[in-house]
């Protein structure tokens, strides 16, 4: 199972929004097949493991070996038709006798159904082997299906005195190039990148992963904008470059838009940020990277929706007239202050990177 988990990790960001899954096939204490989910829309781990076996031993010998074999899979085999046929069918077809899966699939369409189908077809199934290790490689996927909203990572690049730009709006560049490259890696593993409309109008960013860092299949995160509907009228905004979906969340929309990659997500007048995130989760967003600006940072923190906070702190002071990263109201008592737990810290170029998780 540990080898299956190691295989699953090879799937990287290419599989999103699907989970990373690995499979090892064993017969007579020898590995006869192994595979992992390589990219979204491609074969799942089980099918790749079967194909590995067939390629190595030839079809006739492989069919003989697979009969009564044991499969170690990091996630419950799927039981539904999606981009590919259900993996339960393949396990039954080849006569696999035993299946160890690390955990059930949290997707309500599958949860427990795959195991049930296998058992009904005479396959012995055990669930829970190295469960925690397997869960850790797909935390965003499990989070969305259990919580009903995407996992929120918030990235702030700031000075030592917690400023994100000069009073003029100049913010290029507070942090070092190595920090900016590091952010590209975080973008690469995110399903969506979110900013406020003010950031779009001020900086006109692309909100994409740079070509020299992007994943094998070149899949880009979705771009999510909170605020002004008139962004749908703008023709020169860089967010519309490429094929990645642009999701604008607003209370009202202008009727004009010729953007094929634009999705309008209406927000009700009295809806909360959490309500908006629940709607966004329907667009297959397991995780969202929140990148600014100050109002957006503040809103997510005030509503307790930051699951992981990543700070890049540059050894600079920008001064009292510069723009604060946050506008959080002070608590009446210190014990009521918002708390995070430091998960990791490191030097990145000239900067300090601190990763924090919400304190339970």
């Amino acid at each position: 199972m540990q080898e299956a988990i190691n295989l699953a990790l090879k799937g990287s960001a290419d599989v999103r929004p699907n989970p990373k899954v690995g499979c090892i096939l064993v017969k007579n204490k020898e590995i006869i097949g192994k595979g992992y989910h390589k990219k979204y829309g491609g074969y799942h781990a089980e099918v790749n493991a079967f194909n590995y076996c067939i390629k190595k031993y030839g079809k006739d010998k492989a069919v003989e070996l697979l009969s009564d074999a044991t499969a170690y899979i990091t996630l419950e085999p799927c039981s539904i038709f999606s981009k590919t046929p259900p993996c339960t069918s393949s396990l039954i077809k080849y006569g696999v006798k035993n299946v160890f899966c690390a955990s059930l699939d949290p997707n309500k369409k599958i949860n427990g159904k795959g195991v049930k189908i296998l058992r009904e077809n005479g396959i012995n199934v055990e669930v829970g082997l190295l469960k925690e290790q397997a869960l850790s490689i797909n935390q965003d996927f499990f989070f969305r299906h259990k919580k009903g909203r995407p996992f929120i990572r918030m990235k702030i690049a700031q000075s030592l005195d917690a400023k994100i730009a000069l009073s003029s709006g100049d913010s290029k560049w507070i942090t070092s190039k190595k920090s900016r490259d590091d952010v590209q890696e975080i973008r690469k593993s995110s399903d969506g990148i979110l900013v406020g409309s003010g950031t779009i109008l001020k900086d006109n960013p692309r909100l994409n992963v740079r070509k020299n860092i992007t994943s094998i299949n070149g899949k880009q995160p979705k771009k999510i904008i909170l605020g002004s509907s008139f962004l749908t009228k703008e023709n020169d905004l860089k967010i519309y470059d490429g094929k990645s979906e642009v999701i604008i969340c607003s209370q009202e929309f202008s009727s004009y838009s010729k953007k094929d990659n634009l999705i309008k997500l209406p927000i009700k007048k009295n809806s909360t940020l959490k309500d908006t995130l629940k709607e966004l989760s329907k667009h297959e967003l397991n995780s969202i990277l929140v990148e600014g600006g100050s109002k957006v940072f503040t809103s997510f923190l005030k509503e307790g929706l930051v699951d992981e906070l990543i700070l890049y702190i540059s050894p600079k002071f920008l001064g009292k007239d510069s723009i604060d990263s946050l506008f959080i109201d002070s608590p009446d008592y210190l014990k009521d202050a918002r708390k995070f737990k430091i998960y990791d810290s490191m030097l990145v170029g000239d900067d300090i990177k601190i990763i924090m998780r919400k304190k339970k």
Side-chain angles (χ1 to χ4, degrees), residues 59-270:
K59 186 173 182 181
D60 292 340
K61 180 65 175 177
V63 169
E64 180 185 333
L65 286 170
L66 290 170
S67 179
D68 292 336
T70 297
Y72 295 85
I73 313 167
T74 58
L75 187 67
E76 176 183 10
C78 68
S79 53
I80 58 174
F81 281 90
S82 183
K83 298 288 183 182
T84 59
C87 294
T88 50
S89 298
S90 296
L91 291 160
I92 295 166
K93 171 187 172 183
Y94 287 109
V96 171
K97 184 178 181 180
N98 303 293
V99 171
F100 290 87
C101 56
S103 72
L104 295 179
D105 193 315
N107 187 338
K108 291 179 181 179
K109 295 179 181 179
I110 299 172
N111 187 256
K113 294 181 178 67
V115 168
K116 184 174 183 288
I117 289 170
L118 294 177
R119 285 173 176 164
E120 287 174 347
N121 282 273
I123 298 176
N124 302 315
V125 183
E126 296 291 336
V127 181
L129 182 61
L130 296 188
K131 180 179 178 180
E132 293 305 315
Q133 292 93 318
L135 292 180
S136 68
I137 67 174
N138 288 307
Q139 64 167 343
D140 298 349
F141 175 78
F142 277 88
F143 186 95
R144 175 169 74 95
H145 284 286
K146 290 183 177 181
K147 301 288 187 179
R149 68 167 178 84
F151 186 92
I152 300 299
R153 287 182 180 83
M154 191 162 81
K155 181 272 297 181
I156 303 178
Q158 64 179 42
S159 63
L160 280 171
D161 49 348
K163 308 291 183 178
I164 60 171
L166 297 175
S167 57
S168 63
D170 182 18
S171 60
K172 293 183 179 181
W173 297 102
I174 290 177
T175 53
S176 66
K177 184 180 184 301
K178 285 190 176 181
S179 289
R180 299 196 298 275
D181 288 344
D182 193 64
V183 171
Q184 296 299 314
E185 293 294 340
I186 301 173
R187 283 185 173 189
K188 175 181 170 181
S189 61
S190 303
D191 295 311
I193 302 170
L194 183 150
V195 298
S197 57
T199 296
I200 297 295
L201 295 174
K202 180 173 71 71
D203 298 334
N204 195 15
R206 288 185 174 84
L207 295 185
N208 64 353
V209 181
R210 301 297 181 259
K211 286 184 179 179
N212 61 324
I213 299 178
T214 193
S215 56
I216 295 169
N217 63 1
K219 188 175 182 181
Q220 291 282 351
K222 297 177 182 181
K223 305 166 187 182
I224 307 159
I225 319 300
L226 291 183
S228 302
S229 61
F230 64 81
L231 291 175
T232 59
K233 284 187 174 183
E234 300 293 327
N235 291 314
D236 58 348
L237 292 177
K238 293 177 182 177
I239 53 170
Y240 294 118
D241 294 347
K243 298 179 181 179
S244 182
E245 292 177 356
V246 178
I247 305 174
I248 296 182
C249 310
S250 182
Q251 290 184 12
E252 295 181 2
F253 288 95
S254 57
S255 58
Y256 172 77
S257 175
K258 294 182 179 178
K259 307 298 181 184
D260 293 333
N261 58 340
L262 172 63
I263 294 175
K264 299 176 182 179
L265 185 65
I267 300 175
K268 295 179 182 178
K269 190 174 182 180
N270 296 321

